[in-house]
Amino acid sequence: MSEPRYTNALIESSSPYLLQHAHNPVDWYPWSDEALQKAQAADKLLIISIGYAACHWCHVMEHESFEDTTVARVMNEHFVSIKVDREERPDIDNIYMNAAMILTGRGGWPLNAIALPDGRPVYAGTYFPKDQWIQALRYFANLYQNKREELVEQAEKVSEGVRNVELVPLADTKQDFPAETLDTLFANWRSRIDFTWGGRNGAPKFPMPDNWTYLLQYHFYSHQPQAKQAVHTTLIKMAQGGIYDQLGGGFARYSVDGLWKVPHFEKMLYDNGQLLSLYSKAYASSKLPLYRKVIDETVDFLVRELRDESGGFYSSLDADSEGEEGKFYVWTMREIEEITGEAALLLTHYYNLKKGGNFEAGKNVLFVTQPLENAAHELNMSLEEAEQQLQTAHKKLWAVREKRVRPGLDDKILTSWNALTLQGLIDAYTALGRGKYLHLALDNARFIKDNLMADDHQLYRNYKAGKASINGFLDDYALLAKAYLSLYQATFDEEWLHTAQGIVEYVERHFA
């Protein structure tokens, strides 16, 4: 006898993340007036559970807890449960993430908050194992039933804290930033930079492209040699690391270690769009061939894996395939030897492969720590012979990888993330002069204008299956105006200048 197939209110959603939960036995709702009104009418606490489609630990908690009928029974009896896609609703995510930081000092996804029926948070945390989640649910249900005034008092304190965090005072005087201020900023920053492996000291390591873009600019004005060193060490080590897909191009979201070796395998559009800009600017100033290679391979990845035929770019690729994180990308030593033959020895030296795996469960991540000529020298090979072997081995590994079960795709299209990618394509075109990159940029710019912008320059946040449904946020407007201005500078087509101006004027009318 087959298990019953549950369906909840998420079944009508456009978000791939919400649809992943549409058949949980939990009686989920999307964020809506209906859910909030139901909580107040039934006098039940809210569970607000926030994540995104490519999030590994979101999948783990779903499998352990939200697919479990015992857990679902507790949630359905005592709470009204709301699922939120943080990528579609960064405004909701921001509120409860701030609450989590105030209450626990840490955040992340999945983000699970308990709130009063009116939405004011009383508790927020990240991933909970099943037993701890049930324990927390029962604790707060009991507290709401028997000591409600304590929760109300807690909610008032947390809400006040969230309001204070979000209150950004506007300066009423002109601010000057002399060179000394920038020098002091870098002096304070320098102790936190890893000058051996790049990025910040310690682990995990996130790309943080805005940081290195700033230091590129700072070096231009200051000629501070350590600023330049920090940028190029970071970019070289990331490009050689497991965080970068050595076979297929494109960057994963972060590395779990301090060496950029083992990634958290999901690939996000916003990371790759920004890194495309960063590597393009770094190439323009350095002409390092490695950067040109990364630019070309990252564009190839975006077009192959994330581009819709209409010109928009999808949001992300999952970390998992077949229920296992990174399975699509990693290799056993036996697989390497069987697939690549005599080239396996070169790959072992060049990619730091181990018989027992350099990752976990006997698996290897492709991870470079030396130039190819060094690996060739160790094996008494010429550089040309090593390059040929490596190229042939890549083709063989690629052919095998393409037959594997692919990671899940989040195929919603987000305005701000597409704006970052549009900017990246323009910067790549400016750095390398490749006409195809400008054509990709123009197709993307036109797609956004035709599908995510109203005649008065109002923007929508998301697009999927021919429909845009969420009003745009300030980052959508700011990033798109900037990208359209850059597109005008690349083409001198005044359409993009006027469109950027229209977006800014809309912001001044509606956001100021």
Side-chain angles (χ1 to χ4, degrees):
M1 208 173 153
S2 62
E3 291 292 318
R5 178 78 161 165
Y6 301 96
T7 301
N8 55 50
L10 301 182
I11 197 67
E12 300 297 328
S13 301
S14 62
S15 160
Y17 175 65
L18 299 191
L19 290 172
Q20 286 175 358
H21 294 265
H23 296 290
N24 295 165
V26 176
D27 191 12
W28 291 116
Y29 286 84
W31 183 271
S32 61
D33 290 339
E34 178 188 1
L36 297 173
Q37 289 165 5
K38 179 173 180 180
Q40 292 175 52
D43 193 26
K44 289 183 175 182
L45 291 171
L46 290 164
I47 293 170
I48 297 126
S49 182
I50 304 171
Y52 57 99
C55 168
H56 170 71
W57 287 103
C58 298
H59 301 329
V60 173
M61 191 163 177
E62 179 190 18
H63 178 67
E64 290 178 349
S65 294
F66 303 146
E67 292 178 348
D68 186 281
T69 54
T70 302
V71 179
R73 195 174 300 117
V74 177
M75 293 174 67
N76 295 342
E77 181 178 351
H78 298 289
F79 300 86
V80 172
S81 300
I82 296 176
K83 258 290 167 197
V84 178
D85 183 337
R86 67 167 290 257
E87 297 168 355
E88 285 194 341
R89 295 302 304 264
D91 55 332
I92 305 301
D93 176 58
N94 188 59
I95 292 168
Y96 294 102
M97 186 62 73
N98 284 339
M101 295 300 295
I102 289 166
L103 287 160
T104 68
R106 57 191 294 268
W109 298 278
L111 176 63
N112 293 285
I114 308 292
L116 297 179
D118 61 6
R120 287 181 294 166
V122 297
Y123 182 74
T126 54
Y127 163 76
F128 290 83
K130 175 183 170 181
D131 291 345
Q132 291 181 23
W133 181 237
I134 292 177
Q135 184 179 359
L137 295 177
R138 288 178 172 154
Y139 171 78
F140 283 103
N142 180 66
L143 206 60
Y144 190 63
Q145 189 71 33
N146 299 304
K147 295 182 180 179
R148 183 171 304 195
E149 65 282 356
E150 292 185 15
L151 284 184
V152 173
E153 183 180 349
Q154 171 89 329
E156 289 172 351
K157 290 178 180 177
V158 175
S159 296
E160 180 64 23
V162 170
R163 281 192 293 272
N164 290 336
V165 167
E166 294 179 343
L167 185 63
V168 181
L170 295 175
D172 56 5
T173 58
K174 182 180 178 181
Q175 300 292 310
D176 292 321
F177 294 93
E180 293 77 15
T181 301
L182 304 183
D183 292 338
T184 301
L185 176 64
F186 180 68
N188 293 334
W189 189 351
R190 183 166 45 205
S191 65
R192 299 192 293 274
I193 295 174
D194 183 343
F195 284 96
T196 302
W197 287 98
R200 286 175 62 104
N201 285 319
K205 270 185 161 65
F206 286 82
M208 307 298 286
D210 275 347
N211 289 5
W212 315 113
T213 299
Y214 167 76
L215 284 189
L216 268 180
Q217 295 170 333
Y218 172 67
H219 174 260
F220 177 81
Y221 290 112
S222 69
H223 304 291
Q224 218 304 338
Q226 284 190 305
K228 180 179 180 180
Q229 179 189 353
V231 173
H232 289 297
T233 299
T234 299
L235 267 58
I236 290 168
K237 293 298 186 182
M238 281 202 305
Q240 293 176 335
I243 192 174
Y244 184 70
D245 184 349
Q246 300 294 330
L247 280 184
F251 290 87
R253 184 163 163 257
Y254 66 92
S255 71
V256 301
D257 54 77
L259 312 180
W260 305 109
K261 177 182 177 182
V262 178
H264 203 23
F265 288 89
E266 68 262 38
K267 289 181 173 179
M268 316 300 294
L269 180 65
Y270 63 82
D271 284 322
N272 285 281
Q274 291 179 92
L275 287 165
L276 192 54
S277 287
L278 173 58
Y279 275 90
S280 297
K281 291 171 183 175
Y283 177 76
S285 65
S286 70
K287 303 302 180 186
L288 276 180
L290 175 63
Y291 296 170
R292 183 179 65 238
K293 174 177 177 287
V294 168
I295 294 165
D296 287 334
E297 291 178 352
T298 299
V299 174
D300 288 346
F301 156 71
L302 290 169
V303 171
R304 184 182 67 246
E305 305 283 351
L306 294 181
R307 187 173 183 267
D308 184 85
E309 61 182 12
S310 60
F313 287 92
Y314 302 138
S315 293
S316 64
L317 286 175
D318 208 323
D320 299 6
S321 54
E322 299 184 88
E324 184 178 321
E325 185 185 9
K327 186 173 183 179
F328 185 73
Y329 300 101
V330 297
W331 306 89
T332 64
M333 198 66 229
R334 175 179 288 184
E335 287 175 320
I336 294 286
E337 290 169 346
E338 290 177 351
I339 294 166
T340 66
E342 65 177 15
L345 188 59
L346 174 64
L347 267 62
T348 299
H349 282 252
Y350 185 55
Y351 286 126
N352 292 276
L353 308 179
K354 309 291 183 187
K355 285 285 185 185
N358 65 17
F359 173 37
E360 59 185 26
K363 304 295 178 62
N364 285 280
V365 175
L366 303 184
F367 172 62
V368 179
T369 55
Q370 63 176 336
L372 182 61
E373 51 262 40
N374 289 15
H377 179 73
E378 291 171 1
L379 299 173
N380 295 316
M381 298 170 64
S382 68
L383 178 59
E384 292 74 18
E385 186 182 358
E387 287 173 340
Q388 183 60 49
Q389 272 202 15
L390 188 65
Q391 184 179 21
T392 301
H394 276 188
K395 289 179 180 178
K396 292 178 178 179
L397 291 171
W398 177 262
V400 171
R401 199 176 87 169
E402 281 295 279
K403 296 176 182 177
R404 291 176 172 177
V405 175
R406 304 185 68 77
L409 171 69
D410 184 333
D411 63 349
K412 67 177 181 291
I413 296 171
L414 297 176
T415 300
S416 62
W417 296 12
N418 272 256
L420 289 170
T421 306
L422 172 58
Q423 184 69 56
L425 289 167
I426 297 165
D427 290 338
Y429 166 70
T430 303
L432 300 184
R434 303 204 196 290
K436 64 180 180 180
Y437 295 169
L438 181 60
H439 288 304
L440 288 167
L442 287 166
D443 285 349
N444 183 246
R446 179 65 60 194
F447 169 85
I448 297 170
K449 187 174 182 182
D450 290 347
N451 295 283
L452 287 154
M453 184 185 301
D455 291 341
D456 64 351
H457 297 96
Q458 177 192 354
L459 294 177
Y460 290 93
R461 172 75 177 174
N462 67 323
Y463 180 90
K464 189 175 185 301
K467 187 172 76 170
S469 58
I470 298 172
N471 288 331
F473 298 101
L474 190 56
D475 66 329
D476 297 303
Y477 289 88
L479 294 171
L480 187 59
K482 180 177 182 293
Y484 279 168
L485 191 58
S486 296
L487 189 56
Y488 163 70
Q489 292 171 324
T491 63
F492 294 111
D493 184 340
E494 292 186 359
E495 174 189 359
W496 306 114
L497 179 62
H498 295 315
T499 305
Q501 181 179 8
I503 292 170
V504 172
E505 290 173 351
Y506 185 92
V507 168
E508 290 174 341
R509 289 196 304 272
H510 295 277
F511 284 78

